[in-house]
Amino acid sequence: MRSIVQRREVAWLKAILLSVAYVLLYVLLDHVSDIHNLQHSEVTPWSPNIALMIAVAMYYGAGVAPLTILTPGISEIILRGAAPLGIPVIGAVVCIGCTYTASGILLRRLQRNYSQPTIRWFAILSVVIAGSALLEAVLYPLVLIQSGELRAGSYLTAVRIDWVGDMNGIITLLPLVLILRSGEAGKLREIRSNVWLLALQTASLACAFLIAFRDSWGDPTAANYTPFYLLFLPIIWIALRWGAGVTAIALAALQIGIVAFVAKHNMPESFLAIQVLMVLLAGTGLFMGISVSENARFSILMRSKDEELSGLNARMAVSEMNSAIGHELNNPLAALVNYLRSASMMLELPTLDRPLLQSALDKAYAEATRSVNVVKKLREFFRSGVVRRQPLEPKRLATEVITAMQIKFRKASIAVVLEAAADLPLVEADPLQLSMVLQNLLANAYDAVYDLEPRRVRVAVVVTRRANDVIFTVEDSGPGIPEPLRDRLFRPIDSAKPAGMGLGLAICRSLVEANDGRIWLARSGADGTCIAFSIPVAMREVNEVQV
């Protein structure tokens, strides 16, 4: 009992310390961002404290909502000496605290679907950030006007500055926190092996910064001209090479450099223009960086899937080849029995012919060795496996397989068409095995149309529903399957390809049947081939239809 109480006391103490640290850090960021503020109000063109608030709300959820909501009011009291129940404090709590806390909680819920940053994740993040920043920028200046801290004629200017400042603070710091928290596998190792390249990119960014902001180091000729576009080049270079994580760090460092060295040399309007360009630069860099990171993860996933499919292919090939190689074991074992029986009979003779007996034993030994080698080869290829069924979306499965084979088809200038019926039900099957079936059928379609004229080429995957089954059909416009092979197309060692082993469609049949499905040749002729297979609808879907 005492240990439970002690743990609770430690937890409470930790929560209190973290809360105090958050409030102090928020106030500190609010203080350092007090640059070119409008009429000595809290409206500034850079608000990193907002990014901190959203990050905390996203990480801890609704449990910290009271703290994050009240913190802007606390900052008003500490930094600007506002009355605890005055209009500025209440306005900061309602407009800033409530708006951005709600945004953080909303982003926390939306982020559950994304273990790693993706383009869709970034789009959702951008929309939520832009919407919440605009809402706060519209409301908060009204509070400042009501309290007398802001003139009514400056309302639109305040909205513009507040929106740009909050957007800038959020987009340059929040993605950095989120991306670094999710991590990028192997990125640190890659950076360590390419330190010189990162150093060169850092130097190029520093040079672009010095050229773009020459007035910050005393060049009077640059007062009216800032070639900000130069900063896009190193940021894009970093994004294309390293992905999202390093790009987010570079953007945050660049923003800090602008605030530290550029703000004091610019008038409020010109600095606001720089911050607008910084928002565009951050959006561009993060979009490209996340695209590169997402593509890298997709490539790793595809390689992993290829390895899994290759292993499954080897297992199923062995399963289908059992009947074909049976004689490889039967023959040596039968010969071994005969040689041993002969040796036994020789031992029963009155006179023992030792050379003949030795010859029989040597031959028996050779046949035994041959049997061992056959079994050894089987064990090298065979690995035990089970059918791991799970609910699958038919259209998504077909799309993933087509995407995985897109490079092969694209090199041959062959387009694969996917035709899927609307509202397809889930199926219950092993995703890896069904992927292998579709890949085999698409590979056959590829071979069938490879030598055709481009205008005659057609490869399509059609997904439809029939009663309690989902039908996957792979069509091609090839020359068709020879008539003698059609009746035994799915048997092993029968192939329509000159160099084929006759195992591909046999493996497909085994995989489909292992998932309670059926595969058949729908049609084949001079205008092409169509092979279809069915997979049962998930039982839940069937029960819903029956009800």
Side-chain angles (χ1 to χ4, degrees):
M1 184 66 181
R2 180 177 299 176
S3 60
I4 296 176
V5 173
Q6 289 176 345
R7 284 199 297 269
R8 288 179 178 175
E9 291 176 350
V10 170
W12 273 104
L13 179 60
K14 182 179 178 182
I16 292 172
L17 291 176
L18 288 175
S19 299
V20 172
Y22 163 71
V23 172
L24 292 177
L25 183 57
Y26 181 94
V27 172
L28 176 63
L29 290 176
D30 192 6
H31 175 67
V32 299
S33 65
D34 195 11
I35 303 169
H36 293 308
N37 54 353
L38 183 63
Q39 298 175 19
H40 304 288
S41 66
E42 196 181 347
V43 178
T44 68
W46 186 51
S47 303
N49 49 319
I50 303 301
L52 175 66
M53 182 192 305
I54 296 177
V56 170
M58 288 183 66
Y59 187 81
Y60 292 101
V64 297
L67 175 65
T68 55
I69 289 174
L70 293 175
T71 302
I74 297 174
S75 182
E76 281 289 315
I77 296 171
I78 295 175
L79 295 180
R80 297 169 184 89
L85 296 178
I87 293 178
V89 172
I90 296 175
V93 168
V94 174
C95 298
I96 301 176
C98 292
T99 299
Y100 289 118
T101 298
S103 299
I105 295 172
L106 175 61
L107 287 172
R108 174 185 172 87
R109 293 182 179 178
L110 295 175
Q111 195 185 19
R112 292 173 182 173
N113 299 324
Y114 305 96
S115 59
Q116 292 285 343
T118 64
I119 292 299
R120 186 174 181 180
W121 170 85
F122 182 63
I124 293 173
L125 181 70
S126 301
V127 170
V128 174
I129 288 173
S132 57
L134 181 59
L135 177 62
E136 189 274 341
V138 170
L139 296 178
Y140 191 54
L142 295 175
V143 174
L144 296 179
I145 292 173
Q146 183 66 29
S147 65
E149 295 186 20
L150 196 66
R151 293 191 300 270
S154 303
Y155 174 71
L156 294 180
T157 301
V159 170
R160 186 179 62 199
I161 295 175
D162 200 8
W163 188 45
V164 171
D166 287 4
M167 281 282 293
N168 189 281
I170 297 170
I171 201 170
T172 54
L173 293 181
L174 182 61
L176 171 65
V177 175
L178 299 179
I179 291 171
L180 293 183
R181 179 171 173 262
S182 62
E184 291 187 86
K187 186 61 66 178
L188 183 59
R189 191 185 312 111
E190 185 181 357
I191 291 175
R192 287 175 178 172
S193 60
N194 294 277
V195 174
W196 63 270
L197 177 59
L198 187 60
L200 180 61
Q201 292 174 328
T202 303
S204 69
L205 182 59
C207 290
F209 179 88
L210 293 176
I211 295 173
F213 302 110
R214 288 174 293 168
D215 56 329
S216 64
W217 47 277
D219 186 354
T221 63
N224 298 319
Y225 178 63
T226 301
F228 191 91
Y229 62 87
L230 292 177
L231 294 170
F232 279 80
L233 300 178
I235 289 296
I236 291 175
W237 184 19
I238 292 172
L240 293 177
R241 178 58 183 86
W242 301 106
V246 179
T247 304
I249 295 174
L251 289 169
L254 180 60
Q255 177 61 73
I256 293 173
I258 290 175
V259 171
F261 300 105
V262 178
K264 61 183 179 181
H265 296 284
N266 283 264
M267 297 298 290
E269 285 298 324
S270 62
F271 184 69
L272 179 63
I274 291 173
Q275 291 297 77
V276 171
L277 293 174
M278 186 63 202
V279 171
L280 296 177
L281 175 60
T284 302
L286 289 172
F287 177 82
M288 299 187 72
I290 291 172
S291 299
V292 170
S293 296
E294 188 174 7
N295 184 63
R297 291 194 301 270
F298 181 77
S299 298
I300 294 173
L301 179 62
M302 288 299 101
R303 284 197 296 269
S304 175
K305 292 293 184 182
D306 286 342
E307 292 174 0
E308 292 179 5
L309 289 173
S310 298
L312 181 61
N313 188 35
R315 296 196 297 269
M316 296 309 300
V318 170
S319 177
E320 291 298 335
M321 288 177 66
N322 278 339
S323 59
I325 66 173
H327 69 279
E328 293 290 341
L329 284 177
N330 290 333
N331 290 343
L333 289 177
L336 175 62
V337 170
N338 289 333
Y339 287 132
L340 291 177
R341 184 180 293 118
S342 298
S344 178
M345 294 174 62
M346 290 178 191
L347 291 174
E348 295 177 357
L349 294 175
T351 57
L352 180 62
D353 190 342
R354 298 182 65 87
L356 187 60
L357 177 61
Q358 185 64 46
S359 175
L361 293 175
D362 289 342
K363 291 178 179 179
Y365 175 79
E367 294 298 333
T369 303
R370 180 182 171 192
S371 300
V372 170
N373 288 334
V374 170
V375 174
K376 183 178 179 181
K377 290 179 180 179
L378 284 174
R379 291 183 62 187
E380 289 175 354
F381 283 98
F382 183 77
R383 297 289 185 274
S384 60
V386 295
V387 179
R388 295 182 176 86
R389 297 181 184 176
Q390 63 186 62
L392 301 174
E393 296 180 15
K395 183 178 179 180
R396 181 177 180 181
L397 176 72
T399 302
E400 290 177 350
V401 173
I402 292 173
T403 302
M405 300 188 68
Q406 199 65 255
I407 296 177
K408 179 178 181 179
F409 280 93
R410 192 177 298 159
K411 286 182 179 179
S413 299
I414 300 172
V416 182
V417 179
L418 174 60
E419 301 174 4
D423 300 326
L424 286 170
L426 299 178
V427 296
E428 192 100 16
D430 188 311
L432 189 61
Q433 294 180 354
L434 288 198
S435 297
M436 185 175 179
V437 172
L438 280 174
Q439 283 201 355
N440 265 304
L441 296 181
L442 282 172
N444 289 341
Y446 172 90
D447 294 335
V449 302
Y450 183 79
D451 294 325
L452 296 181
E453 298 177 3
R455 60 185 180 85
R456 292 185 53 201
V457 170
R458 170 179 165 78
V459 176
V461 178
V462 182
V463 188
T464 57
R465 179 174 184 174
R466 182 187 302 166
N468 291 334
D469 291 327
V470 171
I471 311 298
F472 294 81
T473 306
V474 177
E475 303 175 356
D476 66 67
S477 57
I481 298 172
E483 185 74 26
L485 290 179
R486 295 179 186 176
D487 293 337
R488 46 194 175 92
L489 189 62
F490 300 98
R491 299 177 188 174
I493 318 302
D494 285 325
S495 177
K497 303 176 186 178
M501 294 179 63
L503 292 173
L505 291 177
I507 292 172
C508 290
R509 185 200 66 191
S510 294
L511 292 174
V512 170
E513 291 177 353
N515 288 276
D516 297 332
R518 187 173 66 90
I519 188 169
W520 66 92
L521 176 65
R523 63 172 176 83
S524 184
D527 60 341
T529 300
C530 177
I531 296 178
F533 65 94
S534 63
I535 297 296
V537 172
M539 290 304 299
R540 183 185 64 183
E541 301 279 346
V542 175
N543 294 336
E544 289 177 356
V545 171
Q546 290 175 349
V547 170

